[in-house]
Amino acid sequence: MPVVALPHPLAADWAAHLSRDRRRSVHTVRAYHATADRLLAFLSQHWGGAIDAKALAAITAADLRAFLASRRGDGLGNASAARELSAVRGFLEWTGTASPRLRGPKVAKGIPRPVAPADVIALAEDVAEDAREPWIGARDWALLLLLYGGGLRIGEALALTGAAMPLGETLTVTGKRAKTRIVPLLPQVRVAIEEYVRQCPWPLLRTEALFRGARGGPLDPAVVRLSVRGARARLGLGERTTPHALRHSFATHLLGRGADLRSLQQLLGHASLSSTQVYTAVDAAHLLDIYRHAHPRA
C-alpha cells in the first residue's frame, strides 16, 4: 500500500535550506522536499510514531531498503530510485544523521547522442521557416544557433536579458545554482542574435527577457520544444533531437576537435569533471571528421 506523504515541518525546513543556503533550483527543491516528506511519512507508519531529527538517528539500512521497496511498489525505476536514495542521504546528512551504508540500484549511464552539424543547421532553418512571422523565425534561428554554438541549456538562454546587448566576443551566462560563466560567442551566433533584435517588435529593456514570446512576454521553453519536435518530424530526425541535444552536440564536437576536458567543463558550467567525462564515450574520430566539414568554427 503506497505511503501518502503528509507535510512535515522537518522536510519544510530542509527545503528552505536548499533554496536559501544551497541556491538549488525550484524544481530540485520541490522534488527533494517531496522525497523527505515521503521518507518521514513512511518511517512514521513503519515505526508507529512521530518522527523528528532525534528519532532519525535510529534509522538503519534495513529501514532504507524497506522505504525503497515501498517506492518500487509505486512504479519507480532504477534511475528514479537512485535519485530518491541520493535525496534521502542529503536529507539525513542535513539532520545530522549518518546515512546507513546502502548500495544504490545500478543505473546504466546513457551516452549523449549528438546531432550532426548539418542536421543542426537544417533543424534551425526548418524551425525558422515554419515560424508564423519573420521576427519569430529570426528569434528561433538565433536561439537554436546559440544553444549549439555556445553549449547553453535552454533555460540559460531564455534567462538572458537585454543587458546582454550590445554583444561582444563573449557572453555571461547564469547556470545552475546561480553560478555564472563566460562563453565565447561565435560571429555567426552574434549576427543571428543581432538580426533577431533588429526585427523584434518589442522594446529591448535591460531587465526584460532577450528572447520574447509572440505577445511580448518571456519565451516559454515549451514553445521551443514544440517547434523542434515539429521540425524533427518533418526532417525525419530521431526523437532524441531536442533543444538540449544541441548542447550535447556542442560538447561532443568540441571534444572531437581536441578540446581538453577541463576547458569543456568550464564552457558547459559543470560542477564536477565526472559530468563532462561522459562525452569521452563518443567516437571522437567520427566527430572530428564531420566537425571539420560542417562546424562553424572549423
Side-chain angles (χ1 to χ4, degrees), residues 101-126:
R101 294 177 63 85
L102 181 66
R103 180 176 296 179
K106 292 184 178 180
V107 180
K109 292 186 177 180
I111 298 175
R113 300 293 179 89
V115 183
D119 289 340
V120 172
I121 300 303
L123 180 76
E125 287 177 340
D126 190 274

Side-chain angles (χ1 to χ4, degrees), residues 16 52 60 68 90 101 110 115 117 161 218 288:
D52 55 18
T60 65
L68 289 178
R101 294 177 63 85
V115 183
T161 67
L288 180 57

Side-chain angles (χ1 to χ4, degrees), residues 32-212:
Y32 280 28
H33 187 180
T35 295
D37 268 332
R38 282 192 291 267
L39 174 68
L40 292 167
F42 171 82
L43 291 177
S44 179
Q45 190 175 78
H46 190 58
W47 290 345
I51 306 298
D52 55 18
K54 185 176 180 180
L56 282 175
I59 196 168
T60 65
D63 294 323
L64 285 186
R65 278 193 292 269
F67 171 68
L68 289 178
S70 74
R71 295 292 290 134
R72 291 285 198 178
D74 295 337
L76 249 63
N78 279 6
S80 296
R83 287 193 294 269
E84 190 94 340
L85 181 58
S86 176
V88 165
R89 285 170 173 158
F91 172 61
L92 292 176
E93 181 181 351
W94 174 77
T95 64
T97 300
S99 180
R101 294 177 63 85
L102 181 66
R103 180 176 296 179
K106 292 184 178 180
V107 180
K109 292 186 177 180
I111 298 175
R113 300 293 179 89
V115 183
D119 289 340
V120 172
I121 300 303
L123 180 76
E125 287 177 340
D126 190 274
V127 170
E129 290 171 0
D130 191 59
R132 60 185 180 183
E133 294 183 43
W135 78 267
I136 293 179
R139 177 201 69 192
D140 293 346
W141 169 255
L143 176 60
L144 294 177
L145 284 192
L146 177 60
L147 297 183
Y148 177 55
L152 274 66
R153 302 176 179 92
I154 187 170
E156 294 171 342
L158 297 185
L160 294 171
T161 67
M165 305 298 294
L167 297 171
E169 294 185 350
T170 60
L171 190 65
T172 300
V173 177
T174 302
K176 291 184 176 181
R177 304 185 190 179
K179 291 184 177 179
T180 60
R181 67 183 188 277
I182 306 296
V183 299
L185 197 59
L186 302 180
Q188 297 92 328
V189 178
R190 183 166 61 249
V191 169
I193 295 175
E194 289 172 344
E195 179 59 22
Y196 151 65
V197 170
R198 188 187 68 78
Q199 294 189 36
C200 183
W202 308 102
L204 187 64
L205 304 177
R206 291 183 61 82
T207 57
E208 297 292 334
L210 175 61
F211 293 103
R212 302 293 190 88

